[in-house]
Amino acid sequence: MKVAEAVGRALSASGVGHVFGVVGSGNFHLTNAMVAAGSRFVAARHEGGAATMADAYARMSGTVAALSIHQGPGLTNALTGVAEAAKSRTPLLVLAAEVTEPRSNFYVDQEALARSVGAVPVRVTSAEGAVGEACTAVRRALHERRTVLLNLPLRVQALDVPDDARTWSAPPPKRVAVEPAAADVAALAQVLERARRPVFVAGRGSRAPGGRDVLEAVAERYGALLATSAVARGLFHGNPWSLDVSGGFSSPLTAELIGAADTIVGWGCALNMWTMRHGRLIGADTTVVQVDDDASALGAHREVNLGVTGDVELTARRVLETGGGKRQGYRTADIAAAIAARVRWRDVPYEDTSSRERIDPRTLSIALDDILPAERVIGVDSGNFMGYPSMYLSVPDENGLCFTQAFQSIGLGLATAIGAALAQPDRLPVAALGDGGAMMGAAELDTVRRLGLPMVVVVYNDDAYGAEVHHFGPGGYPLETVEFPPTDIAAVARGYGFEAVTVRTRGDLKAVEDWIAGPRSAPLLIDTKVVRDQGAWWLEEAFRGH
């Protein structure tokens, strides 16, 4: 048995059930070996799309996914998606064939490329150690929550594996939860006892099973309001004390209430410039606490008064075990009434700027929220439009929104929705894209159709890179480089086998209602011509971070 086959079988036995990629000569045998061993291979049309699909699948399934790519250009094509995954600490295994001869056309320093984007490079070095090295890579991805690049030199792939080196490992045990120090738990409990207006901001580290229930219990005891970062949106869906998302996407009421908090606790949340609006959501006298199972994350983005190293769920349970009576805190009747009436963006009054030719993105998003089934999983691209689907389309829980925005690249949204759809197959997948990102990732429309996904693709089409238009336009700069002639994206989608509709007014959405009610035998693309007279509310906030 060759190394390529042995590694493929070992990876499948280690629990890597889904592998995404584009197959070439260098990863042909490895990929086929994984398929033969029971892993599902999802063929993308571009390595960049495959990388983001794998990233999204890992995020929404809670398992390690794999990306299989050709040596050299296969890796360079995938690098943006790999960088997004690495920045987000996604447990992802990148399987890259490798040439080691510098005179080869395919040669690049793949180890250096991995390091440059924050991934962990490792290599299969021998026939005798191949299986063990591959299984170690899986464990590192899972236990360290890292994106790991496993380089597979072509000459090593072709070697014969000795009989005594063909033992497949079972899936590695789950990551051990980090127990917080008793002194830190006591300190956190004391902070909460003193708090009069506490707010909890839950991040990705709170999305594990059981996280919601225990955080809600702690919040109930101390009278805390509940918010999330964008990547954890939906965690507290349906809770009457939920403020939805903290940060640049916050509604005016949410920003007001967080800004007035005397205590903010980030649970598995970075409390970065986006989530805290560059610190403007933190009052001068506010006590800031951060709970994270990675000690290096504590205080990484801003000074905290108390940092607790520990698993979110375990830490919250230990706080509950300290005892203490129930406190009113921030939970007054007036606050409850305000949250019920004004915390959602769709409940904030606005002037509808729709015309007969273009629809206001707020009007569009509210209408789609009413039309689309509640059980949905949404993948969002980057751009001026992105706040509208992220905040106006509701999600049922923390698995309802996949937000691949750590690298702020446009063009990842469609692939994100594909990966999320495969991880959440019982939900309607929705891809929300701008026209720039839609055209960038259009090749993966073929993947949607080929996989038979009943996806809705919504394109917020303003015929431009809207973020740049609204950032530079007010300064009088020329915009010809970021504006484009009108494109019939609906026609492009039909060419890939989609049903498609062009929407200019609210009445045009009748076709979407008909598709929802019908057999959904083909995916649907909605080419919405949105107004372009103003930038999104969050845009100024975004450019502060450049």
Side-chain angles (χ1 to χ4, degrees):
M1 181 182 295
K2 302 297 184 183
V3 164
E5 182 180 355
V7 168
R9 290 182 176 274
L11 293 174
S12 184
S14 292
V16 182
H18 274 72
V19 55
F20 300 78
V22 176
V23 171
S25 59
N27 62 329
F28 180 85
H29 296 299
L30 170 72
T31 306
N32 282 342
M34 294 187 72
V35 172
S39 298
R40 179 181 181 182
F41 176 66
V42 179
R45 284 300 191 179
H46 190 278
E47 289 91 350
T52 300
M53 292 175 205
D55 179 9
Y57 182 87
R59 295 184 194 215
M60 304 308 283
S61 68
T63 64
V64 176
L67 167 67
S68 178
I69 49 179
H70 190 268
Q71 62 270 20
L75 177 59
T76 57
N77 277 349
L79 270 184
T80 296
V82 173
E84 168 63 37
K87 285 176 175 289
S88 296
R89 296 291 294 267
T90 300
L92 177 66
L93 190 62
V94 181
L95 309 172
E98 182 184 35
V99 295
T100 54
E101 171 50 61
R103 288 175 294 183
S104 168
N105 287 343
F106 290 126
Y107 178 79
V108 289
D109 189 340
Q110 297 188 177
E111 185 173 317
L113 287 175
R115 287 202 176 94
S116 73
V117 297
V120 177
V122 294
R123 179 175 285 108
V124 171
T125 59
S126 68
E128 294 77 13
V131 168
E133 289 165 333
C135 294
T136 297
V138 176
R139 285 194 296 274
R140 290 196 68 180
L142 178 64
H143 293 164
E144 298 178 22
R145 287 200 308 259
R146 298 296 297 271
T147 295
V148 176
L149 171 65
L150 180 61
N151 284 306
L152 294 140
L154 295 180
R155 61 174 183 78
V156 178
Q157 286 193 54
L159 298 176
D160 291 311
V161 177
D163 291 343
D164 59 358
R166 299 182 187 179
T167 302
W168 319 133
S169 297
K174 292 183 178 180
R175 190 170 186 266
V176 177
V178 177
E179 180 74 46
D184 288 343
V185 172
L188 174 53
Q190 289 174 3
V191 168
L192 292 173
E193 286 286 348
R194 294 192 300 265
R196 293 177 294 112
R197 296 182 305 279
V199 171
F200 290 177
V201 182
R204 189 177 177 189
S206 301
R207 293 178 67 243
R212 169 175 176 155
D213 291 344
V214 69
L215 287 179
E216 286 183 329
V218 177
E220 177 74 15
R221 173 182 291 180
Y222 295 103
L225 304 184
L226 296 162
T228 71
S229 65
V231 294
R233 186 174 184 232
L235 181 66
F236 301 119
H237 177 78
N239 188 297
W241 301 104
S242 171
L243 302 178
D244 210 346
V245 173
S246 172
F249 286 169
S250 295
S251 68
L253 177 63
T254 293
E256 176 186 336
L257 292 175
I258 296 175
D262 65 353
T263 302
I264 294 175
V265 183
W267 297 91
C269 177
L271 299 178
N272 59 24
M273 62 185 181
W274 307 111
T275 308
M276 290 288 106
R277 289 193 175 181
H278 299 269
R280 292 195 305 279
L281 292 183
I282 302 174
D285 298 320
T286 301
T287 299
V288 180
V289 180
Q290 189 179 3
V291 179
D292 202 290
D293 65 2
D294 181 358
S296 68
L298 301 177
H301 291 274
R302 64 188 63 262
E303 185 177 350
V304 297
N305 301 98
L306 174 63
V308 179
T309 302
D311 173 77
V312 165
E313 182 183 357
L314 262 182
T315 302
R317 291 196 185 283
R318 296 297 178 260
V319 170
L320 285 176
E321 291 167 2
T322 63
K326 183 176 178 181
R327 303 172 60 85
Q328 181 185 63
Y330 218 160
R331 298 188 173 193
T332 67
D334 289 346
I335 295 295
I339 290 173
R342 294 187 288 121
V343 82
R344 297 187 308 170
W345 267 109
R346 65 174 292 161
D347 296 327
V348 177
Y350 68 96
E351 180 184 354
D352 189 338
T353 61
S354 300
S355 67
R356 288 184 295 180
E357 295 300 318
R358 291 187 176 270
I359 188 169
D360 189 306
R362 296 164 291 189
T363 302
L364 167 71
S365 301
I366 292 170
L368 286 174
D369 191 42
D370 293 336
I371 292 170
L372 300 176
E375 286 297 313
R376 61 186 71 154
V377 57
I378 302 169
V380 181
D381 212 328
S382 194
N384 176 61
F385 78 96
M386 63 187 283
Y388 299 112
S390 296
M391 295 307 301
Y392 283 79
L393 298 182
S394 61
V395 292
D397 55 28
E398 69 275 17
N399 293 313
L401 175 66
C402 194
F403 195 74
T404 48
Q405 299 291 336
F407 201 25
Q408 285 191 270
S409 173
I410 71 169
L412 306 186
L414 181 58
T416 293
I418 294 171
L422 294 172
Q424 301 287 331
D426 296 330
R427 301 187 180 193
L428 176 71
V430 180
L433 320 174
D435 54 297
M439 297 304 288
M440 222 180 247
E444 303 307 344
L445 292 171
D446 173 75
T447 303
V448 175
R449 184 70 176 103
R450 182 165 26 87
L451 293 175
L453 298 175
M455 183 180 290
V456 175
V457 178
V458 186
V459 181
Y460 290 71
N461 187 353
D462 61 0
D463 300 318
Y465 293 137
E468 284 65 36
V469 167
H470 296 297
H471 182 59
F472 293 108
Y477 294 100
L479 300 174
E480 290 81 3
T481 55
V482 291
E483 293 180 323
F484 301 93
T487 302
D488 189 350
I489 298 178
V492 173
R494 291 188 190 99
Y496 281 102
F498 276 59
E499 294 184 32
V501 57
T502 299
V503 171
R504 297 181 182 276
T505 67
R506 175 66 179 82
D508 294 331
L509 290 170
K510 176 62 167 60
V512 179
E513 296 175 355
D514 293 341
W515 184 88
I516 292 293
R520 307 182 197 176
S521 55
L524 174 70
L525 183 137
I526 311 168
D527 183 5
T528 59
K529 311 298 184 180
V530 295
V531 296
R532 45 184 295 175
D533 56 342
Q534 62 184 23
W537 82 91
W538 66 273
L539 189 62
E540 181 180 352
E541 196 72 39
F543 275 106
R544 291 178 191 271
H546 274 204

